[in-house]
Amino acid sequence: MIVLDVLGVIGTIAFALAGALTGIQKKLDVFGILMLSITTAVGGGILRDMLIGNTPPMAFRDPTFVVISIISAICACLVYQHINRFNNLIQFCDAVGLGAFTAAGANMAILYDINTPFIMIVLGVTTGVGGGIIRDLFVQEIPFVFRKEIYAVAAIVGAASFYYTQAILPDAVPMYLCFVVTSVIRILSIIYDLHLPII
Amino acid sequence: MIVLDVLGVIGTIAFALAGALTGIQKKLDVFGILMLSITTAVGGGILRDMLIGNTPPMAFRDPTFVVISIISAICACLVYQHINRFNNLIQFCDAVGLGAFTAAGANMAILYDINTPFIMIVLGVTTGVGGGIIRDLFVQEIPFVFRKEIYAVAAIVGAASFYYTQAILPDAVPMYLCFVVTSVIRILSIIYDLHLPII
Amino acid sequence: MIVLDVLGVIGTIAFALAGALTGIQKKLDVFGILMLSITTAVGGGILRDMLIGNTPPMAFRDPTFVVISIISAICACLVYQHINRFNNLIQFCDAVGLGAFTAAGANMAILYDINTPFIMIVLGVTTGVGGGIIRDLFVQEIPFVFRKEIYAVAAIVGAASFYYTQAILPDAVPMYLCFVVTSVIRILSIIYDLHLPII
């Protein structure tokens, strides 16, 4: 699990930076920026834990990821003026985070013995995109995953690949496959500017 | 329970159509439309399940209603231009759904042995109107149940009629009474254009 | 606990009045005003109970606080025109409520045997400010705790003082200290018009 932990940390930093930047743009105060940063980073996992009755949520029992979010948010406040230069790097880290969170979330279906394809996808997607949805609701935006990009779809395909390779691939390989599939789809959709159609 | 299941399917279709139409109007992408459709249809039940600790929520353990929502949303996308003609039909089905969802939700108070009038009303109303509230929050509208119509009030009266006839009426009759009372109040409020007062 | 119960009632009234006034300003109907009033008053506690798996939430098992909220909301509707005169009183009661709710919420960490500093702060703050956040989301405002005032910060300092005096002070004294610290910080921030900085 060490590898996924490292990936999770990378993702948490990217998610927390995105949350903090949103907060700064929306003229929130320092507390609001921290809250938005934390929410974006751990909100998806909290939502998933509430859905499966894993209470209190993991993010509250082990504050590591909240602490990482706070440090990221403080960094974002300090280098705010210069952060646009790192836009591509942040988007790349965000894609890594989406993959890591989706894989970890989908894996909870196995740990909780509710290993159906539907629940695995729901838990993966909720963990991956839930934080961003809550952030957007807090700042009064229609959640961006509903509007513009191939984001949740990457998580869905990733989690599905997890489920359907469990019988074929050994040990934790399906989980890593989920991470790779999700992140790669997300990165490709950014590079080639792919979007879902609007009716 | 077969009758209520059929009513629940009718309601799910109506709720999912309403959600999909909202998504199309708000220019969401295809994923957003599907999500809004699913949320409107099963969001109330998920919220109720989280309130009573029934995890993972029923809608995730048995994906039937999610599948119905997805099919309804796809139909809505295909016949979008012509759907205004069916407006009255959809409103009627929506009232049927409100009644069926409220009755099923209120019934959970009995199944979970928390059969007080207050909890039965809360569970009935949450199941009936919760999905619409989440949908409205997602698209940045003040929830319509707070603003305009006799909607939640119909569910409250229905759930109360459920509770207070348990001692008098046999078997599942109070549950069906809840369905009838809720749906009829809702339909009458549409026909006669009844609203709650604004201060 | 009697003292904290009384303080909780004062706070519930203040929170419910604030919710009802928001509803009136936003032109909600009577049901919407009641819902906003109830949500503001008991929403934080419900959120906290969902986070720790205390289901169904206390506010639904014992409807006392919901009943108090409804009565407060009705009073708000009746004396709406004259309520501005009582603005200072309401703000004072709100600060008392924030303290009482934070103390009661933080105390759940002990009752549930999850007595870490982080969880105690999370439960205290969630109980204290959660209802106001949900209210603001319902009426399409960015939650005011993220924007303007020393509000959540008061609850954080209060809950931290609770945790770190447990070893030193006897019995329920740390809980009352939490109440006093939270309320006093909040009141001072109103009197001296203190705000958190914006980046």
Side-chain angles (χ1 to χ4, degrees):
Chain A
M1 298 288 283
I2 293 283
V3 179
L4 205 69
D5 280 350
V6 173
L7 299 170
V9 169
I10 295 173
T12 302
I13 295 171
F15 278 36
L17 287 177
L21 292 176
T22 306
I24 294 170
Q25 278 158 14
K26 292 278 176 176
K27 304 278 176 215
L28 303 192
D29 64 21
V30 170
F31 174 77
I33 293 169
L34 287 180
M35 276 300 300
L36 217 56
S37 179
I38 294 169
T39 306
T40 311
V42 304
I46 290 173
L47 204 56
R48 175 208 61 213
D49 285 343
M50 287 170 78
L51 286 174
I52 59 176
N54 181 19
T55 56
M58 244 159 56
F60 295 157
R61 275 174 292 164
D62 173 4
T64 311
F65 287 91
V66 171
V67 171
I68 295 173
S69 305
I70 293 174
I71 296 171
S72 306
I74 294 171
C75 294
C77 291
L78 294 178
V79 300
Y80 173 50
Q81 259 87 22
H82 313 287
I83 216 158
N84 285 330
R85 275 185 235 163
F86 306 106
N87 234 342
N88 289 340
L89 179 63
I90 292 175
Q91 280 209 311
F92 177 79
C93 291
D94 183 272
V96 170
L98 178 66
F101 283 22
T102 303
N107 195 45
M108 293 297 269
I110 297 175
L111 297 180
Y112 268 70
D113 212 13
I114 40 180
N115 189 359
T116 71
F118 185 57
I119 288 186
M120 186 172 272
I121 291 174
V122 166
L123 296 186
V125 173
T126 304
T127 313
V129 312
I133 291 178
I134 300 174
R135 176 200 61 209
D136 290 345
L137 291 180
F138 276 165
V139 296
Q140 302 299 317
E141 304 270 357
I142 294 180
F144 86 102
V145 290
F146 297 165
R147 280 184 296 143
K148 285 191 293 203
E149 320 212 3
I150 294 190
Y151 198 91
V153 170
I156 291 173
V157 176
S161 73
F162 189 160
Y163 184 82
Y164 289 108
T165 57
Q166 283 180 101
I168 317 166
L169 299 175
D171 302 332
V173 176
M175 190 170 67
Y176 288 109
L177 182 70
C178 170
F179 162 71
V180 172
V181 168
T182 306
S183 297
V184 167
I185 293 179
R186 175 66 189 140
I187 291 169
L188 290 178
S189 84
I190 298 173
I191 296 176
Y192 295 105
D193 199 26
L194 303 174
H195 294 85
L196 290 177
I198 292 172
I199 302 293
Chain B
M1 299 288 284
I2 293 284
V3 179
L4 205 69
D5 280 351
V6 173
L7 300 171
V9 169
I10 295 173
T12 302
I13 295 172
F15 278 37
L17 287 177
L21 292 175
T22 306
I24 295 171
Q25 279 159 12
K26 293 278 176 176
K27 304 278 176 213
L28 303 192
D29 65 20
V30 169
F31 174 76
I33 293 169
L34 286 181
M35 276 300 299
L36 217 56
S37 179
I38 294 169
T39 306
T40 311
V42 303
I46 291 173
L47 205 56
R48 176 206 61 212
D49 285 343
M50 289 169 78
L51 286 175
I52 58 176
N54 181 18
T55 57
M58 245 159 56
F60 295 157
R61 277 175 291 164
D62 173 3
T64 311
F65 287 90
V66 172
V67 171
I68 295 173
S69 305
I70 293 173
I71 295 172
S72 306
I74 294 171
C75 293
C77 290
L78 294 178
V79 300
Y80 173 51
Q81 259 86 23
H82 313 288
I83 216 159
N84 285 330
R85 274 185 237 164
F86 306 105
N87 234 343
N88 290 339
L89 179 63
I90 292 175
Q91 280 209 311
F92 177 79
C93 291
D94 183 273
V96 170
L98 178 66
F101 283 23
T102 303
N107 196 44
M108 295 295 269
I110 298 175
L111 297 180
Y112 270 69
D113 212 12
I114 39 179
N115 189 0
T116 71
F118 185 58
I119 289 187
M120 187 172 270
I121 290 174
V122 166
L123 297 185
V125 173
T126 303
T127 313
V129 312
I133 291 178
I134 300 175
R135 176 200 61 209
D136 290 344
L137 291 181
F138 276 165
V139 297
Q140 301 300 316
E141 304 269 358
I142 294 180
F144 85 101
V145 290
F146 297 165
R147 280 184 296 143
K148 284 191 294 202
E149 320 212 2
I150 293 189
Y151 198 90
V153 169
I156 291 173
V157 176
S161 73
F162 189 159
Y163 184 81
Y164 289 108
T165 58
Q166 283 179 101
I168 317 167
L169 300 175
D171 301 332
V173 175
M175 188 170 68
Y176 288 108
L177 181 71
C178 171
F179 161 72
V180 172
V181 169
T182 306
S183 298
V184 166
I185 293 179
R186 175 65 189 142
I187 290 169
L188 290 178
S189 84
I190 298 173
I191 295 177
Y192 295 105
D193 198 26
L194 303 175
H195 295 84
L196 290 178
I198 292 173
I199 302 293
Chain C
M1 299 289 283
I2 293 284
V3 179
L4 205 70
D5 279 351
V6 173
L7 299 171
V9 169
I10 295 173
T12 302
I13 295 172
F15 279 35
L17 287 176
L21 292 175
T22 307
I24 294 171
Q25 277 158 14
K26 293 279 176 176
K27 305 278 176 214
L28 303 191
D29 65 20
V30 169
F31 174 77
I33 293 169
L34 286 180
M35 277 298 300
L36 218 56
S37 179
I38 295 169
T39 306
T40 310
V42 303
I46 291 173
L47 205 56
R48 176 207 61 212
D49 285 343
M50 288 170 77
L51 287 175
I52 58 176
N54 182 17
T55 56
M58 245 160 54
F60 294 157
R61 275 174 292 163
D62 173 4
T64 311
F65 287 91
V66 171
V67 171
I68 294 173
S69 306
I70 293 174
I71 296 171
S72 306
I74 294 172
C75 294
C77 291
L78 294 177
V79 299
Y80 173 51
Q81 258 88 21
H82 313 287
I83 216 158
N84 286 330
R85 275 185 236 163
F86 306 106
N87 233 343
N88 289 340
L89 179 63
I90 292 174
Q91 279 209 312
F92 177 79
C93 291
D94 183 273
V96 170
L98 178 65
F101 283 23
T102 303
N107 195 45
M108 295 295 270
I110 297 175
L111 299 179
Y112 269 70
D113 211 14
I114 40 181
N115 188 0
T116 72
F118 186 57
I119 289 188
M120 187 172 270
I121 291 173
V122 166
L123 297 186
V125 173
T126 304
T127 313
V129 312
I133 291 178
I134 300 175
R135 175 200 62 208
D136 290 344
L137 291 180
F138 275 165
V139 297
Q140 302 299 317
E141 303 269 358
I142 295 181
F144 85 100
V145 290
F146 297 165
R147 280 183 296 143
K148 285 191 293 203
E149 319 211 3
I150 294 190
Y151 198 91
V153 170
I156 291 173
V157 176
S161 72
F162 188 160
Y163 184 83
Y164 289 107
T165 58
Q166 283 180 101
I168 317 166
L169 300 175
D171 301 333
V173 175
M175 189 169 68
Y176 288 107
L177 181 71
C178 170
F179 161 71
V180 172
V181 169
T182 305
S183 298
V184 166
I185 293 179
R186 175 65 189 142
I187 290 169
L188 289 178
S189 84
I190 297 173
I191 295 177
Y192 295 105
D193 198 25
L194 303 175
H195 294 85
L196 291 177
I198 292 172
I199 302 292

